[in-house]
Amino acid sequence: MSRMCDVCGKGVMSGNKVSKSYNHTRRTWRPNLHSVKAQLPNGTVRTLKVCSNCLSAGFIDKKVKTPKSAEAAQN
């Protein structure tokens, strides 16, 4: 399982944790990913891993299940 956004490509970054005594220890920063069922431009539905920034910016159209009672009310 890759820790990378399917929309923007944001992934894991690495660097140093620096203590008060200036000791350096390697650490990683992971993106805030969510598994979302999204509708692609060609109409197919696929589960994507999307970072929260792309999700809030509206880069994808979420596929949301509607209850049958709501569908009947629309018709």
Side-chain angles (χ1 to χ4, degrees), residues 63-75:
K63 168 77 170 77
V64 180
K65 291 184 181 179
T66 57
K68 292 188 177 184
S69 60
E71 290 177 4
Q74 290 177 354
N75 293 333

Side-chain angles (χ1 to χ4, degrees), residues 2 9 13-15 20 29 44 58 66 71 73 75:
S2 67
M13 293 183 68
S14 61
K20 287 185 178 180
W29 287 270
T44 60
T66 57
E71 290 177 4
N75 293 333

Side-chain angles (χ1 to χ4, degrees), residues 1-4 6 33 49:
M1 177 177 145
S2 67
R3 293 185 171 109
M4 188 169 280
D6 290 331
L33 295 179
K49 280 182 277 186

Side-chain angles (χ1 to χ4, degrees), residues 2-66:
S2 67
R3 293 185 171 109
M4 188 169 280
C5 178
D6 290 331
V7 178
C8 66
K10 183 186 291 185
V12 177
M13 293 183 68
S14 61
N16 287 317
K17 180 172 74 173
V18 182
S19 67
K20 287 185 178 180
S21 59
Y22 208 62
N23 295 331
H24 288 66
T25 308
R26 297 299 287 180
R27 63 157 290 184
T28 58
W29 287 270
R30 294 180 179 166
N32 188 8
L33 295 179
H34 304 277
S35 291
V36 176
K37 283 193 176 182
Q39 192 164 2
L40 299 178
N42 61 1
T44 60
V45 175
R46 219 178 101 194
T47 301
L48 301 173
K49 280 182 277 186
V50 182
C51 69
S52 58
N53 196 11
C54 292
L55 199 58
S56 65
F59 289 140
I60 62 163
D61 295 328
K62 285 173 64 174
K63 168 77 170 77
V64 180
K65 291 184 181 179
T66 57

